[in-house]
Amino acid sequence: MDDQTRIELEAAAFRRLRQHLMQDRLDVQNIDMMNLAGFCRNCLSRWYQEAANERGIDMSKDDARETFYGMTMADWKANYQTDANAGQKAAFDTAFKENVSDKG
């Protein structure tokens, strides 16, 4: 497989993942994704931002989130985010430390 085809396939897979998370499974909460998989929608938007910044494209965290989510974080939270319980919050603290804090 040539590099261009690989890049196109990777981009297609990313777009399908985004569609799955942003259209097909709006019920899945970021906190649950982070607790189970070690990443969430916010991580994906951060990776998008980092890739843009590495290429000299000035993109803020909020810009990246709005690009990934297709709306502002405030709108996403108002429409789709539910309150986390104490167990979810405790698990998140651990997951965040293990997957984000030491990598940023």
Side-chain angles (χ1 to χ4, degrees):
M1 177 183 311
D2 63 79
D3 283 344
Q4 184 59 37
T5 301
R6 180 187 51 78
I7 290 167
E8 291 171 8
L9 293 174
E10 290 171 352
F14 174 81
R15 287 190 298 271
R16 184 60 185 95
L17 173 62
R18 185 186 173 281
Q19 176 188 329
H20 184 73
L21 295 173
M22 303 311 299
Q23 295 174 18
D24 303 341
R25 291 305 308 266
L26 296 170
D27 59 314
V28 176
Q29 296 297 303
N30 279 338
I31 195 164
D32 293 325
M33 290 176 60
M34 186 60 138
N35 292 347
L36 293 172
F39 79 98
C40 67
R41 293 172 184 91
N42 292 334
C43 296
L44 289 165
S45 70
R46 187 184 79 242
W47 299 336
Y48 188 89
Q49 175 197 11
E50 290 169 356
N53 293 162
E54 287 170 4
R55 287 159 181 79
I57 300 168
D58 186 32
M59 181 178 289
S60 70
K61 177 172 76 173
D62 289 336
D63 291 338
R65 284 184 174 178
E66 191 164 342
T67 297
F68 187 82
Y69 281 81
M71 64 187 77
T72 65
M73 275 306 295
D75 287 340
W76 172 265
K77 287 179 180 183
N79 289 306
Y80 304 109
Q81 186 168 308
T82 60
D83 292 333
N85 63 42
Q88 288 171 309
K89 290 177 184 178
F92 176 82
D93 289 339
T94 300
F96 190 85
K97 288 176 189 169
E98 291 175 352
N99 295 289
V100 178
S101 293
D102 62 349
K103 299 187 179 20

